[in-house]
Amino acid sequence: LDEVAIIAAALSVQDPREWPLDQQEAAQQAHAPFQDPASDFQTFLNIWKRYHEHRQHAASQNRMRKFCKAHFLSFRRMREWFDVHQQLLTILKDSGEKNTRTGEASYQQIHKAILCGYLSNIAMRKEKNMYTAARNREVMIFPGSGLFKKGPPWIVAAEIVETTRSFARIAAKIDPEWIEPLASGLCRYTYSDPHWEKKRGEVVAFEQVSLFGLIIVARRSVSYGRIDADEAARIFIRCALVDGDMNQRLRFLDKNRVLIASIEVMEDKLRCRDLLVEDGVLFSFYAERLPGVFDIRTLQRRIRERGGDDFLLLRQENLLRKDLAPEVLAPFPDHLALDRLSLSLEYHFNPGAANDGVTARIPHGLIGMVSTATTDWLIPGLQKEKITFLLKALPKEFRKRLLPVSTTVDTILREMPREPVPLAVALSTFISRRFGIHIPAAAWPLDALPEYLKMRFSIMGDKGREIGSGRDLKALQDAAPREITSNALEKAKAIWERHEVTTWNFGDLPQEIILESGHGVEGLVYPALVVTEPSAIGAEEPSSVSLRLFQDYHKAQNAHLRGVRILFARHFNRDFKYIQKQHPLKKQIGPETAYFGGDRKVQEAILERTLCLLIPYPMRTSSAFQKAIEAASGNILALALKTTSEASPILKAYAKTREIIRNLENLHRNNKTTLSFLAEMMARLNSLVPQDFIVAYDSQRLEQIPRYLRALEIRIEKGLLHIGKDREKAAGISLYEKQVSQLLAEITAGTSEEKKKAIEDFRWMVEEYQIAVFAQGIKTTRPVSPKRLEERYGDIEKMA
């Protein structure tokens, strides 16, 4: 009240400052100490304060006149200002107004009080000193104002004077936030863009506040429910409940989301978008039950009033456009069987996207166990479409023999058994048997299949995160980490692994151990005996054996078989040592061992084969191991002698054939054609009798090797006389030799034992055909011909 009374008095009289025409600059310098850069009202307070401070010390009016003159102030107007101020104080006192504040008022307090009286004189800066005032007037700050050089964004003026232009006189800087509380009854409120605000849990809109045409609040977020409750309720239901865009967890909403998601999964499985009702049905469901609800608070209050949220729970019949029989979804399982485990399946109907179709989620520890024999068949619900596509895309020579395709597909689906082989192999086998049409596996257009008809794989890490994905299973397996580390694995190692195993004292070994964690199955590990420090069988210091956990099934199998044999050899180390020292090998064989590393190497091979005969399979139980020990007691030497007797004829026949080739090479050392032929024969000799033949061949094969070598000698004898004829015959056999090489190269750790045996049989079938072509005087062990070879090769192609 004190400060505003002074300012009100100043505004009631003529400005006490003087600007003589001939002393403008001096006047400005004299007035400068009074001037406030933010407020001309504050400038009046500064003049008043300075004047009255001097007046307290001045002894006479004469001195006050001199003060006014020195500061270019009118003495008469200063007296008039004082008199008006006194009259105002008297009026205020008579009306009962009291100033209860102590100390000086702040800038904000003073100018809020002034602003109350000049709401129509506010202005917003447009550019430099130009302002837009209330009612869209354009004004300029008066040049004599302290604000003239630095106009603030918002001002209030004591008056707007019209001369050559509109001037805002006696102005001050204000904060636009002061205006609305002082002028709420005069302000105009408009609203735009009502929307759901998830963080606030309510529908909001942007509020614009204007006063006399000036926007004082441009875009303030306010609750829209108090402004338009019906529209706010519609927005709330559509966004928060139908779209589910909400931070809060509500029981009914979670259950409804699960139900909706289950129908969306049905659509993904059936590859359609006509099962789930449109959003408008959901909107109507909620709108009917929640009139007047437009935010979380009112929703929760309504639920409390109804005693629970059951009235908001959806049922499947509310969401389905048509009835769906259970058998329609039966061919679309949620899991894919994988031995004792199962892979969860995800379905997505999203053409063109990477995840379109069926995705199998595989823990990365299990990636090596999955094969195309399991996944290539896809799922029953898509098999008809997949087989139809494959048949229609076959080369015309095959396709026309299977018309009509729809009938053929029905026959295949009805009669073809599901076997653990890739789908293309199964189709070729079935069509060959059922329709008499041989379709090579390579003829099936697998690469042309649409992506959704190929299984997609998602490799999951330890913490349930995807670490890789794609439809090429082999590429994912090649890229997968070979070893994993996890707490579950370390715990399993602590339980199972042992060092320096000398006897079978660890119980029975399971084929596999499941590693489980809080995220489910992490993978499988395979316990196996493994040779850690190898040495020769029967050595003074036998090989060391440990019990380890492997993460690769095939490595574990290979290691375990060797580990069991060495553990067995440790038990009979004295017997094997005796054979090493006392076995009369030289007497039975002679110098032919030189071609295979000498007497010691051949003797070690004989002991190794003896051990393989005693332990033919990787046993995993203590009882089986004990039975093998009991069966071997007193039988080891006999088996070693038997192996020696089987190897001896081969060593002698090899030495004889080798000597024949070497003698002929010396005899024809200047004939390049003959030397090339003999070099080929030497390669065939070494192929038939490799360095490890004693261990690599079974008894039946060892028995046949001398016959193959005799046939080779006959071929050499005839070939030297007619090399051209030999070349012609060899050309007819080269196709089958290439097929053997190709099949052997395709063998992987995942190749079935059945196919491995078939490839081995095909190899010796080709050898028998060599005898039939080059040494007709020697009988073959089985009928062989190009047709039989082609049929056998076709059968192998169909195997997994």
Side-chain angles (χ1 to χ4, degrees):
L1 191 61
D2 290 345
E3 290 83 4
V4 174
I6 295 168
I7 293 170
L11 297 174
S12 301
V13 300
Q14 192 174 348
D15 194 326
R17 290 170 292 182
E18 294 181 331
W19 289 273
L21 293 176
D22 56 346
Q23 293 180 288
Q24 291 283 319
E25 187 175 345
Q28 287 180 357
Q29 290 177 357
H31 295 155
F34 305 133
Q35 200 162 59
D36 188 295
S39 170
D40 294 335
F41 300 101
Q42 190 67 42
T43 297
F44 285 133
L45 290 177
N46 294 340
I47 295 171
W48 178 275
K49 184 177 180 182
R50 184 70 179 280
Y51 176 82
H52 284 278
E53 284 175 353
H54 189 77
R55 187 166 176 266
Q56 288 177 358
H57 301 290
S60 64
Q61 284 193 7
N62 190 39
R63 288 194 175 185
M64 288 307 298
R65 289 179 185 275
K66 288 180 179 180
F67 171 83
C68 289
K69 185 176 182 181
H71 289 86
F72 289 87
L73 298 173
S74 167
F75 178 73
R76 182 179 62 78
R77 295 175 195 161
M78 291 300 296
R79 287 297 303 271
E80 186 180 356
W81 183 4
F82 178 78
D83 291 341
V84 173
H85 178 254
Q86 290 301 311
Q87 292 173 27
L88 285 174
L89 292 181
T90 300
I91 294 169
L92 289 170
K93 184 177 180 181
D94 292 343
S95 64
E97 291 289 342
K98 294 181 180 179
N99 187 4
T100 57
R101 179 185 53 79
T102 59
E104 291 189 3
S106 67
Y107 182 95
Q108 181 176 332
Q109 289 173 317
I110 294 169
H111 290 80
K112 275 188 175 181
I114 293 170
L115 181 59
C116 288
Y118 294 114
L119 289 171
S120 60
N121 283 359
I122 59 173
M124 178 178 64
R125 186 174 61 194
K126 185 178 179 182
E127 55 178 330
K128 293 184 180 179
N129 289 315
M130 300 304 298
Y131 284 75
T132 300
R135 300 181 180 86
N136 203 28
R137 293 174 294 173
E138 186 177 89
V139 300
M140 175 188 283
I141 294 178
F142 190 70
S145 170
L147 282 64
F148 184 72
K149 291 183 179 179
K150 293 183 178 179
W154 283 81
I155 62 169
V156 62
E159 59 181 350
I160 294 178
V161 180
E162 297 284 347
T163 56
T164 54
R165 64 167 60 238
S166 297
F167 288 104
R169 290 189 70 253
I170 311 175
K173 172 187 174 182
I174 60 169
D175 187 334
E177 291 185 0
W178 301 344
I179 301 172
E180 186 187 2
L182 301 175
S184 58
L186 301 174
C187 291
R188 182 169 179 262
Y189 294 86
T190 56
Y191 302 92
S192 64
D193 191 18
H195 61 280
W196 166 248
E197 180 60 61
K198 181 166 62 174
K199 289 183 180 180
R200 290 175 54 164
E202 64 179 341
V203 176
V204 300
F206 293 116
E207 184 179 60
Q208 178 180 285
V209 185
S210 60
L211 178 64
F212 304 134
L214 288 179
I215 298 173
I216 56 177
V217 177
R219 193 176 171 86
R220 179 167 61 200
S221 184
V222 296
S223 174
Y224 195 60
R226 61 179 177 80
I227 298 160
D228 188 337
D230 292 340
E231 178 62 16
R234 285 191 288 271
I235 294 171
F236 172 73
I237 291 172
R238 184 171 59 251
C239 298
L241 302 185
V242 176
D243 295 344
D245 186 24
M246 187 185 294
N247 284 336
Q248 288 81 353
R249 293 294 300 274
L250 298 172
R251 189 188 76 101
F252 81 89
L253 207 54
D254 288 342
K255 286 182 172 292
N256 290 348
R257 284 171 180 164
V258 170
L259 185 58
I260 291 169
S262 70
I263 295 175
E264 290 174 340
V265 169
M266 294 179 191
E267 291 184 325
D268 285 329
K269 287 181 175 182
L270 300 175
R271 299 188 67 78
C272 66
R273 283 289 178 260
D274 59 357
L275 296 181
L276 184 64
V277 297
E278 59 188 14
D279 287 349
V281 176
L282 296 179
F283 180 90
S284 299
F285 175 85
Y286 287 121
E288 181 182 340
R289 290 159 177 78
L290 297 171
V293 173
F294 50 76
D295 59 21
I296 294 296
R297 292 182 300 278
T298 55
L299 172 63
Q300 291 172 334
R301 185 169 65 248
R302 185 65 55 83
I303 290 172
R304 287 194 300 271
E305 292 170 355
R306 293 290 298 267
D309 62 1
D310 286 352
F311 73 105
L312 295 174
L313 291 175
L314 288 160
R315 294 188 301 275
Q316 193 174 82
E317 53 265 32
N318 299 133
L319 297 172
L320 279 174
R321 293 185 182 183
K322 55 187 177 183
D323 292 336
L324 206 61
E327 57 269 21
V328 174
L329 291 169
F332 300 87
D334 294 323
H335 293 85
L336 179 68
L338 181 68
D339 294 332
R340 293 189 296 107
L341 303 173
S342 65
L343 305 178
S344 65
L345 298 179
E346 292 181 351
Y347 295 82
H348 296 281
F349 177 34
N350 197 4
N355 64 351
D356 187 33
V358 189
T359 296
R361 291 164 58 88
I362 309 173
H364 67 104
L366 302 180
I367 181 67
M369 291 184 60
V370 184
S371 70
T372 52
T374 306
T375 60
D376 194 39
W377 291 69
L378 207 55
I379 56 165
L382 291 176
Q383 280 175 13
K384 181 173 184 177
E385 193 173 350
K386 183 169 185 174
I387 293 171
T388 300
F389 180 92
L390 290 173
L391 289 178
K392 287 183 175 180
L394 277 172
K396 187 177 180 181
E397 58 183 296
F398 302 118
R399 186 178 67 252
K400 66 183 181 181
R401 299 173 65 187
L402 294 170
L403 296 175
V405 170
S406 59
T407 303
T408 304
V409 171
D410 290 340
T411 302
I412 291 170
L413 292 173
R414 185 175 59 255
E415 300 179 15
M416 185 176 73
R418 174 149 189 163
E419 299 174 329
V421 297
L423 179 61
V425 173
L427 286 170
S428 290
T429 303
F430 177 78
I431 291 172
S432 176
R433 184 177 69 248
R434 179 67 170 74
F435 299 102
I437 304 168
H438 175 61
I439 302 175
W444 293 101
L446 298 174
D447 292 340
L449 280 168
E451 293 294 277
Y452 76 91
L453 291 179
K454 304 174 188 175
M455 183 72 80
R456 180 177 176 271
F457 307 95
S458 175
I459 313 305
M460 311 309 295
D462 295 337
K463 296 182 179 179
R465 292 193 298 265
E466 184 179 272
I467 59 175
S469 64
R471 300 182 195 268
D472 187 336
L473 179 60
K474 187 176 184 308
L476 289 171
Q477 289 172 329
D478 292 342
R482 295 302 173 197
E483 299 292 329
I484 62 171
T485 302
S486 68
N487 291 334
L489 176 60
E490 295 306 315
K491 288 178 182 177
K493 284 183 177 181
I495 295 171
W496 289 95
E497 290 196 339
R498 300 187 182 187
H499 301 284
E500 297 297 329
V501 176
T502 58
T503 185
W504 197 298
N505 60 356
F506 41 81
D508 297 343
L509 291 180
Q511 286 282 358
E512 62 196 24
I513 297 167
I514 300 174
L515 299 180
E516 294 184 289
S517 69
H519 299 284
V521 176
E522 284 188 7
L524 298 177
V525 288
Y526 310 93
L529 292 171
V530 57
V531 179
T532 49
E533 293 182 19
S535 61
I537 298 171
E540 289 294 332
E541 285 293 329
S543 301
S544 295
V545 179
S546 296
L547 178 57
R548 298 279 174 82
L549 297 183
F550 284 74
Q551 294 181 35
D552 186 290
Y553 171 78
H554 302 287
K555 286 182 180 178
Q557 290 294 94
N558 293 336
H560 186 62
L561 179 57
R562 181 66 180 158
V564 172
R565 285 171 176 168
I566 295 303
L567 189 63
F568 179 91
R570 284 183 66 100
H571 184 85
F572 289 103
N573 195 53
R574 186 176 297 176
D575 299 74
F576 283 110
K577 234 188 320 188
Y578 169 78
I579 295 173
Q580 278 277 33
K581 293 179 179 178
Q582 305 298 329
H583 191 213
L585 187 65
K586 290 183 180 179
K587 294 178 183 179
Q588 296 187 42
I589 298 177
E592 295 88 359
T593 60
Y595 299 119
F596 297 90
D599 296 345
R600 186 173 185 81
K601 282 287 184 184
V602 172
Q603 188 159 306
E604 286 177 1
I606 289 172
L607 292 181
E608 182 70 36
R609 175 174 172 74
T610 302
L611 189 58
C612 293
L613 292 172
L614 291 166
I615 307 293
Y617 68 95
M619 54 194 62
R620 307 191 73 85
T621 65
S622 176
S623 60
F625 188 74
Q626 190 59 40
K627 285 179 182 177
I629 288 175
E630 293 169 2
S633 297
N635 197 31
I636 296 175
L637 181 58
L639 281 174
L641 290 171
K642 179 178 182 293
T643 299
T644 303
S645 66
E646 290 173 340
S648 179
I650 298 174
L651 291 169
K652 290 176 181 177
Y654 175 87
K656 177 189 172 187
T657 307
R658 184 184 178 92
E659 187 176 356
I660 290 172
I661 294 172
R662 289 304 183 201
N663 290 337
L664 290 171
E665 285 176 338
N666 290 331
L667 188 63
H668 298 279
R669 57 179 174 271
N670 294 322
N671 188 326
K672 290 184 178 180
T673 303
T674 302
L675 288 177
S676 175
F677 169 74
L678 291 172
E680 183 183 334
M681 296 303 101
M682 181 64 80
R684 282 199 52 73
L685 172 64
N686 290 328
S687 173
L688 286 167
V689 191
Q691 289 289 304
D692 64 344
F693 79 93
I694 296 175
V695 178
Y697 293 157
D698 58 21
S699 295
Q700 183 182 358
R701 191 58 52 206
L702 289 173
E703 183 183 344
Q704 299 298 326
I705 294 299
R707 192 168 61 87
Y708 293 136
L709 298 185
R710 176 59 189 148
L712 184 62
E713 290 174 10
I714 293 173
R715 178 181 176 183
I716 293 169
E717 183 181 341
K718 292 182 177 180
L720 286 176
L721 296 174
H722 304 286
I723 289 181
K725 285 186 178 181
D726 184 276
R727 298 296 84 195
E728 289 176 8
K729 292 177 180 179
I733 297 175
S734 64
L735 168 65
Y736 308 116
E737 291 178 322
K738 288 178 182 178
Q739 288 176 340
V740 170
S741 299
Q742 178 186 339
L743 290 172
L744 290 171
E746 290 174 354
I747 293 177
T748 64
T751 302
S752 67
E753 289 300 319
E754 179 190 13
K755 186 172 183 177
K756 289 178 183 177
K757 290 178 182 178
I759 293 172
E760 182 71 9
D761 179 69
F762 183 65
R763 177 204 168 178
W764 295 112
M765 193 174 177
V766 173
E767 288 297 337
E768 293 295 332
Y769 186 56
Q770 298 259 15
I771 292 176
V773 171
F774 294 109
Q776 290 89 347
I778 299 177
K779 289 184 178 181
T780 60
T781 58
R782 62 202 289 189
V784 286
S785 64
K787 182 180 179 181
R788 283 189 168 92
L789 288 170
E790 288 168 7
E791 288 176 351
R792 187 59 177 149
Y793 179 73
D795 292 339
I796 294 172
E797 262 198 318
K798 299 171 188 175
M799 295 180 182

